[in-house]
Amino acid sequence: MMNDGFDESELIQRAQQGDTTAFEPLVLRYKDLVFARIYRSVCDRSSAEELSQEVFVKAFRGIRGFRGDCKFSSWLTRIALHAVSTHRSSRGYREALRTEPGAQEISHSLDEGAEAVLLQRERVSVLGRCLGELSERLHAVMVLVALNGASYEEAAEAVQVPLGTVRSRLNQARLQLMTCFEKRLGKI
Amino acid sequence: MRRVLVESKFLELVDGRLSDAERAEALRAIEADPILSRRFSQYQALLELEQEVRDEKIELSRGFVVKVMERLEEAKRPFLWGLIMKHTKTTVALAGGIVSIAALYITLPDRSTDIFFNEESIPTLKPSLSATQSGIHYSEDIIAEDVPNKPSLEPIDTEHWADYDPSIAREARKLKETKFDSSAGLVGRMPMPPMTSQHSAIRFREYGENSRQQVSSAPVSTFSIDVDTASYTNMRRFISEGTVPPRESIRTEEFLNYFTYSYPKQFEKPFSVYSEVAPSPFHPDRYLLKLGINAKEMQQRERPWNLVFLVDVSGSMEQTDKLGLLKPSLKLLASKMGAQDRVSIVTYAGAAEAVLENAGINQREEILAKIDHLGGGGSTNGEGGIHEAYAIAKRHFMPNAENRVVLATDGDFNVGVSSDEELIRLIEEKRKQGVTLTTLGFGHDNLNDSMLEQLANKGNGNYFFIDSFREARKVFEQSLFSTIETVAKDVKVQVEFNPERISSYRLIGYDNRMLRREDFTNDQIDAGETGAGHTVTVLYEVALAGTRFANETAGNLRYTQGSAPTAVPTASELSRELAFVKIRYKDPAGSQSKELSFPVDQSSVRTGTGTGSQDLKFAASVAAFASVLRQSIQEPAVPLDVIARVARENMGEDRDGYRREFVQLVESAKSLGAGSTAALSK
């Protein structure tokens, strides 16, 4: 994490008293973390940015409920996970999952030339769709650990399950993703 | 080794967590089986893909911070501005408000005292009531709400929770020990946490909790119907903001009624009742009686609408989650107008202003434009908003129509009436003249939840908390008829239990809707309303006569012995009626009460663990979740994992995704620490 010279607990305390200026360094400090976690969950930049904004707005509104019994980043992650899970149950998201990538999207990719780029894009796009099919509990762990590089301990704190559960969910998530890839592409 | 078993070890294999022997065995199995070896190489390919995803740098520009800060400032500025605006009207108003709220609790006639009964009033009020009014103590006439809550000392069987997860049973045992600690448990009512600023400025009221009643001494349970759902949407918003909702904001019946259950539609009788008795999915020795009260559906609109929107446009409303949501909500409603409907709009903030009066469907464009232009804040002195709204409703009153004022606000009732008491009186008086009131709550920073609920209750309308456009669509689109079109008013329910079949019962929720037994037939007593197609779900936890649970909860009487404990009763023992449900109501325009009755008989009963319908089990999860959030002293706390699991298994068709969302909320609540041992022992 960047060292911006601010004392985090003091910033939080001030934000809890309604001081928005104290919240600004916190947004700056955690924006990329929150955005990456959301972007890699929903695989759509504009929704991810909108959701990230909401997460910080909600975090500020609810900051008085932050009791300091976990890391601030874990608390933000929980709010982000909730925002993602709400988004995942929205009609727009589910419809987007159902529509296959259109011809335009593919021809645009062809302009790029290299076949490798096209293949890589396809894999990432299938990954996004397959993530959409995972259940909530598997999805959260998969996104945090596998796609964002969070440690098992960090994920355990954010999702509030034991370490062993994080590992078994991660394994299960991967097995399901493999099956989904096989259905759509024949392989990864 | 079996394929599945090997696959379950893939992660440990790639993480290097297996012992040498285990590793060798796994690799041998993979090599020997072509399918497994393909799966394992796919697993490794997936790891590579994950690495590629992680390597992609994802960053937001500084502009993002600016946008967030703008949104925060936007939310903050009008709020403070609004507070200044509203409270500079007269400083006396603020002080007067506090006094009048206090006065309201004290000076309402005695019937209202019951509705408003609070922590302090119970011990002193109840003895004098039973002594002066009925002249007898501890007789059949002492009904549900007259018995002060006592801590539940009932045994809980938590062992079967281990079916879900052994660690849960351990947790449950811990909870059990904490919860029934004798020094903590015998104090009586839980102390009410002070209204701290933690939950911003929302005002909730704490009501007592219905306790277990012995059928031998209190065979009859009477309450008014409640079709509101605001408490649920409020909870949803708290949790989505990363906060556990305050316990006094939880009204269990509003949680239950947020969901639709599969009660067959019917178009003839004003009400039908569907009943089911089955073991609770959480405590198999306790049975649940679920009543589904189903109001008549309408094929089409039966009556035209004369709607007057009274919209708070003061500074504090100018936020995306307030006016920003209100406008599309009203447009949705306006788009549903029929040929004979009339709409008016009155705003208040500065001076009350009728921005649109008695517009018909041919002026739809104008209506939509007026809705678009709502806002603008205003000066002080919001005199007369409510008077103006009622005056317009009266001016265009249609005898055979739904004449209704729809108040949309973030909770400030500076509508031109000097006190809350006067406001309630005004609303009651207008209701008698045929104009009803619906309240819509927006935003979280200043919401007066309990007041909005009470106003809608007194105004024969309903109260919704709109936290999202999705919720607006639920209220104004999917259930529009039931929102606007009343099929019955002053609806009261009375359930009489057969002591031969049921030895005790506890009504779950409806804590502030309890009526005295004699109120049922007293037509002067106001009660709830239902709209077309509304369903009201009622859960009782019952002890079937003769079961061990019935004996354990009977209490020790010196002169009366409970019957000997037996196992779960057999089907033949359950062959008679269990209860008798009566519904008393008035037609929307009528003043004469009518009654319908429905026996709960053997055909409703299912014995054996897990035999209840999906609806019953889902409703049980909803009630259990409410109990955890409410920190119920009557209901043993169930671990949130178990609640989520049972709810997930019983989502049924769930066409609109609301049940799925519920499961997510329970899981989020757990991650926020709701229902933890610490929270309970507090």
Side-chain angles (χ1 to χ4, degrees):
Chain A
M1 186 185 309
M2 78 174 98
N3 183 0
D4 48 20
F6 285 109
D7 173 357
E8 183 163 297
S9 58
E10 191 198 316
L11 291 177
I12 293 169
Q13 223 167 26
R14 279 170 49 206
Q16 284 174 332
Q17 286 152 13
D19 181 354
T20 42
T21 56
F23 196 64
E24 187 168 349
L26 292 171
V27 180
L28 189 62
R29 191 181 279 191
Y30 290 109
K31 70 179 172 43
D32 293 335
L33 180 101
V34 167
F35 178 65
R37 288 185 174 176
I38 293 178
Y39 176 63
R40 287 171 179 146
S41 302
V42 303
C43 305
D44 165 31
R45 200 175 165 99
S46 73
S47 316
E49 190 167 338
E50 178 60 33
L51 286 172
S52 305
Q53 282 188 28
E54 273 170 33
V55 166
F56 283 107
V57 171
K58 284 182 175 171
F60 182 72
R61 281 204 200 124
I63 198 162
R64 276 175 280 200
F66 175 67
R67 299 184 298 267
D69 48 9
C70 66
K71 278 194 273 178
F72 189 62
S73 61
S74 303
W75 185 71
L76 281 177
T77 301
R78 282 180 209 164
I79 299 179
L81 286 177
H82 184 82
V84 165
S85 83
T86 310
H87 179 73
R88 270 161 55 90
S89 62
S90 73
R91 191 177 289 172
Y93 177 80
R94 281 188 286 180
E95 268 165 19
L97 274 187
R98 273 197 295 274
T99 43
E100 291 302 319
Q104 208 180 1
E105 197 179 319
I106 288 173
S107 71
H108 173 75
S109 304
L110 277 175
D111 287 345
E112 308 275 332
E115 198 185 312
V117 175
L118 175 62
L119 277 179
Q120 169 61 3
R121 283 206 179 169
E122 194 180 34
R123 286 163 80 215
V124 173
S125 136
V126 171
L127 177 66
R129 280 157 202 280
C130 290
L131 281 174
E133 290 178 12
L134 288 183
S135 69
E136 214 47 62
R137 42 196 17 224
L138 298 187
H139 181 266
V141 171
M142 180 72 199
V143 168
L144 285 180
V145 180
L147 303 182
N148 280 288
S151 67
Y152 294 141
E153 288 78 11
E154 226 176 300
E157 187 170 79
V159 188
Q160 299 256 293
V161 293
L163 276 182
T165 312
V166 170
R167 281 198 288 267
S168 69
R169 283 186 188 175
L170 177 61
N171 197 53
Q172 228 179 320
R174 284 182 175 144
L175 295 175
Q176 286 187 15
L177 287 177
M178 280 155 56
T179 310
C180 173
F181 261 97
E182 231 157 281
K183 246 185 352 211
R184 288 168 183 265
L185 283 182
K187 64 173 177 60
I188 294 175
Chain B
M1 252 199 284
R2 289 213 332 268
R3 235 175 241 158
V4 180
L5 188 61
V6 180
E7 285 197 344
S8 73
K9 298 193 177 214
F10 277 0
L11 179 74
E12 287 162 305
L13 188 60
V14 298
D15 273 1
R17 285 175 177 270
L18 294 181
S19 70
D20 289 350
E22 286 172 322
R23 182 184 162 81
E25 193 191 358
L27 288 174
R28 256 199 313 278
I30 290 170
E31 210 175 320
D33 181 347
I35 294 182
L36 265 182
S37 65
R38 181 182 154 76
R39 290 280 283 174
F40 189 56
S41 66
Q42 289 292 300
Y43 197 92
Q44 288 168 309
L46 179 59
L47 296 184
E48 278 169 33
L49 179 61
E50 289 169 6
Q51 184 64 49
E52 286 165 26
V53 171
R54 284 201 299 272
D55 287 347
E56 189 194 349
K57 205 156 187 211
I58 296 175
E59 277 181 352
L60 281 171
S61 67
R62 189 125 195 165
F64 174 83
V65 183
V66 176
K67 277 187 214 156
V68 171
M69 297 318 291
E70 269 173 11
R71 277 179 71 166
L72 290 181
E73 288 302 324
E74 218 172 85
K76 200 179 162 197
R77 176 167 32 83
F79 173 53
L80 289 174
W81 183 240
L83 276 183
I84 296 161
M85 280 307 161
K86 284 171 176 173
H87 291 146
T88 46
K89 177 191 166 193
T90 53
T91 39
V92 182
L94 187 63
I98 296 164
V99 174
S100 60
I101 290 172
L104 177 71
Y105 293 155
I106 298 162
T107 57
L108 283 171
D110 70 280
R111 144 80 198 125
S112 312
T113 325
D114 273 341
I115 289 209
F116 284 92
F117 77 79
N118 61 8
E119 296 285 320
E120 295 73 31
S121 68
I122 286 176
T124 49
L125 179 70
K126 299 304 166 184
S128 67
L129 261 185
S130 50
T132 56
Q133 293 190 342
S134 65
I136 24 173
H137 297 276
Y138 310 116
S139 74
E140 282 195 5
D141 290 321
I142 301 171
I143 41 102
E145 81 281 12
D146 281 344
V147 181
N149 279 332
K150 53 176 189 287
S152 170
L153 293 172
E154 295 161 8
I156 22 172
D157 167 24
T158 54
E159 294 308 316
H160 72 289
W161 288 343
D163 296 347
Y164 297 104
D165 183 346
S167 66
I168 286 170
R170 276 198 301 280
E171 177 75 7
R173 271 193 295 275
K174 230 163 43 191
L175 283 176
K176 188 168 156 184
E177 283 152 19
T178 317
K179 197 163 163 48
F180 298 101
D181 170 81
S182 59
S183 60
L186 289 169
V187 183
R189 286 167 163 255
M190 278 196 167
M192 185 170 73
M195 292 281 128
T196 61
S197 58
Q198 184 169 346
H199 299 111
S200 62
I202 311 185
R203 284 151 277 175
F204 296 106
R205 294 222 349 107
E206 165 69 17
Y207 295 94
E209 204 181 339
N210 292 326
S211 57
R212 173 167 297 283
Q213 300 298 311
Q214 298 301 324
V215 178
S216 54
S217 57
V220 169
S221 164
T222 309
F223 59 95
S224 154
I225 228 157
D226 179 4
V227 295
D228 299 340
T229 55
S231 173
Y232 184 86
T233 30
N234 234 321
M235 172 276 293
R236 180 168 70 195
R237 171 139 181 192
F238 269 113
I239 288 184
S240 77
E241 287 176 0
T243 314
V244 177
R247 53 185 289 261
E248 57 279 4
S249 74
I250 308 297
R251 291 184 292 270
T252 310
E253 69 278 13
E254 300 190 12
F255 277 43
L256 287 169
N257 288 330
Y258 186 80
F259 299 93
T260 50
Y261 305 89
S262 50
Y263 308 127
K265 287 187 177 189
Q266 55 97 9
F267 298 90
E268 285 151 19
K269 280 187 288 188
F271 294 99
S272 52
V273 172
Y274 301 88
S275 55
E276 180 183 352
V277 181
S280 155
F282 305 110
H283 318 284
D285 54 346
R286 299 171 180 220
Y287 277 69
L288 293 175
L289 162 61
K290 175 166 165 287
L291 298 174
I293 300 169
N294 200 1
K296 174 170 83 165
E297 290 275 347
M298 286 187 184
Q299 301 279 22
Q300 60 204 19
R301 295 255 303 273
E302 288 190 354
R303 309 186 314 151
W305 300 340
N306 169 28
L307 301 182
V308 181
F309 295 115
L310 176 56
V311 182
D312 177 355
V313 292
S314 60
S316 69
M317 284 292 285
E318 286 197 18
Q319 296 179 16
T320 43
D321 59 349
K322 295 178 182 175
L323 272 181
L325 257 179
L326 169 69
K327 289 180 187 179
S329 305
L330 290 188
K331 282 185 185 172
L332 209 58
L333 185 56
S335 70
K336 302 283 169 184
M337 280 176 70
Q340 294 170 29
D341 298 340
R342 315 301 291 176
V343 165
S344 309
I345 301 177
V346 177
T347 59
Y348 73 96
E353 187 190 354
V355 294
L356 185 72
E357 187 166 340
N358 204 33
I361 190 170
N362 52 343
Q363 291 157 272
R364 181 169 287 165
E365 290 308 308
E366 195 189 342
I367 297 170
L368 295 179
K370 295 284 186 196
I371 293 174
D372 262 333
H373 285 102
L374 287 175
S379 60
T380 53
N381 200 3
E383 273 302 316
I386 196 124
H387 292 294
E388 182 70 22
Y390 276 122
I392 289 179
K394 184 102 205 243
R395 199 144 61 226
H396 307 289
F397 189 86
M398 293 190 268
N400 257 322
E402 197 64 57
N403 295 284
R404 186 172 300 205
V405 171
V406 181
L407 168 63
T409 177
D410 61 354
D412 207 302
F413 300 101
N414 189 2
V415 287
V417 176
S418 59
S419 72
D420 292 343
E421 191 187 348
E422 196 187 322
L423 184 56
I424 286 192
R425 235 189 342 253
L426 174 76
I427 284 163
E428 280 184 320
E429 179 196 320
K430 297 297 175 185
R431 182 197 74 215
K432 286 176 191 152
Q433 296 169 10
V435 183
T436 55
L437 177 78
T438 282
T439 52
L440 304 175
F442 290 87
H444 235 194
D445 47 15
N446 195 29
L447 187 72
N448 192 340
D449 174 80
S450 64
M451 192 64 186
L452 281 173
E453 198 232 350
Q454 289 301 325
L455 290 182
N457 186 10
K458 296 288 172 191
N460 275 16
N462 28 33
Y463 163 41
F464 300 97
F465 177 70
I466 312 286
D467 66 341
S468 60
F469 189 56
R470 186 160 173 248
E471 182 62 20
R473 288 183 58 165
K474 185 174 191 274
V475 172
F476 294 117
E477 209 168 58
Q478 291 147 16
S479 38
L480 180 71
F481 279 176
S482 46
T483 303
I484 299 290
E485 202 105 0
T486 309
V487 292
K489 64 180 185 184
D490 291 343
V491 185
K492 301 167 191 171
V493 180
Q494 187 163 71
V495 182
E496 181 185 349
F497 292 95
N498 177 356
E500 288 187 23
R501 305 301 311 283
I502 289 177
S503 62
S504 66
Y505 64 88
R506 181 170 64 83
L507 176 58
I508 301 174
Y510 295 89
D511 301 315
N512 68 347
R513 300 280 176 156
M514 297 308 296
L515 297 175
R516 287 177 300 212
R517 183 175 172 176
E518 60 271 28
D519 291 345
F520 186 70
T521 46
N522 181 350
D523 292 342
Q524 301 308 307
I525 300 289
D526 174 44
E529 287 59 45
T530 46
H534 256 149
T535 61
V536 173
T537 295
V538 181
L539 274 187
Y540 280 97
E541 184 193 275
V542 295
L544 295 187
T547 58
R548 187 171 359 139
F549 179 59
N551 284 289
E552 282 167 349
T553 52
N556 295 323
L557 293 180
R558 188 174 173 83
Y559 303 109
T560 313
Q561 298 292 319
S563 51
T566 58
V568 175
T570 63
S572 66
E573 285 167 340
L574 296 172
S575 58
R576 299 161 309 229
E577 237 172 67
L578 285 85
F580 195 64
V581 181
K582 286 192 285 190
I583 297 177
R584 195 175 168 96
Y585 66 96
K586 294 174 191 156
D587 288 333
S591 55
Q592 281 294 317
S593 279
K594 301 177 180 176
E595 250 182 62
L596 291 167
S597 58
F598 307 85
V600 178
D601 60 23
Q602 177 57 27
S603 62
S604 310
V605 180
R606 304 175 190 219
T607 52
T609 310
T611 48
S613 67
Q614 285 200 319
D615 270 358
L616 180 130
K617 287 189 257 181
F618 186 81
S621 327
V622 173
F625 184 48
S627 297
V628 170
L629 295 177
R630 207 183 184 303
Q631 297 167 27
S632 166
I633 52 170
Q634 295 297 333
E635 175 111 2
V638 181
L640 291 174
D641 313 49
V642 177
I643 295 175
R645 178 76 63 95
V646 170
R648 193 181 305 110
E649 287 167 356
N650 294 287
M651 287 198 297
E653 193 188 4
D654 192 28
R655 237 183 299 157
D656 300 314
Y658 294 121
R659 291 189 178 196
R660 183 190 155 94
E661 182 190 63
F662 173 76
V663 174
Q664 287 163 3
L665 285 167
V666 177
E667 285 170 351
S668 300
K670 178 168 167 32
S671 69
L672 294 172
S676 66
T677 318
L680 274 173
S681 56
K682 228 191 283 175

